[in-house]
């Protein structure tokens, strides 16, 4: 006889307000991030298309980089939102906790036994 499936409750994010409120801090954080400015001014000119004026080439590459970033992060959000239902099961959480613990202990042992 089959046992009824338990309904898994979706965890609620702490401090989640919904809507677009997280957009403003995230946007400000990204706009003020010096690593992105260095990346766009230091690394993007190299693959710029030679036939376009530099301003247009850089604009094209920045937009391409933005589109790829949005696609990548959007995919991560979709994958993790679906995986969250599975990852919050007690059995899975225990297994992940044990695996993480063993991994961290292993890293610690490697560091402790490594020569200078």
């Amino acid at each position: 006889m089959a046992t009824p499936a338990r309904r898994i409750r979706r965890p609620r994010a702490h401090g989640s307000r919904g809507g677009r409120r997280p957009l403003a801090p995230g946007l400000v954080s990204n706009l003020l991030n010096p690593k992105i400015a260095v990346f766009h001014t230091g690394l993007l000119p190299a693959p710029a298309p030679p036939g376009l004026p530099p301003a247009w080439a850089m604009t094209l590459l920045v937009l391409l980089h933005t589109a790829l970033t949005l696609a990548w992060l959007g995919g991560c959000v979709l994958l993790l939102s679906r995986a969250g239902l599975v990852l919050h099961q007690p059995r899975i959480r225990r297994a992940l906790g044990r695996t993480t613990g063993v991994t961290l202990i292993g890293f610690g042992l490697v560091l402790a036994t490594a020569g200078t």
Side-chain angles (χ1 to χ4, degrees):
M1 181 151 111
T3 59
R6 291 186 305 184
R7 183 181 173 114
I8 300 170
R9 287 186 290 159
R10 186 177 206 118
R12 196 166 173 201
H14 296 291
S16 149
R17 298 179 193 154
R20 291 185 170 211
R21 291 187 183 181
L23 179 67
L27 183 63
V28 169
S29 173
N30 280 325
L31 290 176
L32 297 177
N33 186 352
K35 293 180 290 188
I36 297 300
V38 169
F39 175 77
H40 284 147
T41 58
L43 296 177
L44 276 184
L52 291 175
W56 285 106
M58 288 301 294
T59 302
L60 176 68
L61 290 174
V62 167
L63 290 174
L64 178 64
H65 180 248
T66 302
L68 290 173
T69 301
L70 287 174
W72 171 255
L73 293 177
C76 288
V77 166
L78 289 175
L79 177 70
L80 292 175
S81 68
R82 296 194 187 278
L85 296 175
V86 174
L87 295 175
H88 280 85
Q89 294 177 8
R91 184 175 51 120
I92 302 295
R93 287 185 70 134
R94 281 193 303 273
L96 285 173
R98 289 179 183 138
T99 303
T100 304
V102 168
T103 303
L104 290 175
I105 289 170
F107 284 147
L109 289 174
V110 168
L111 286 173
T113 58
T116 317

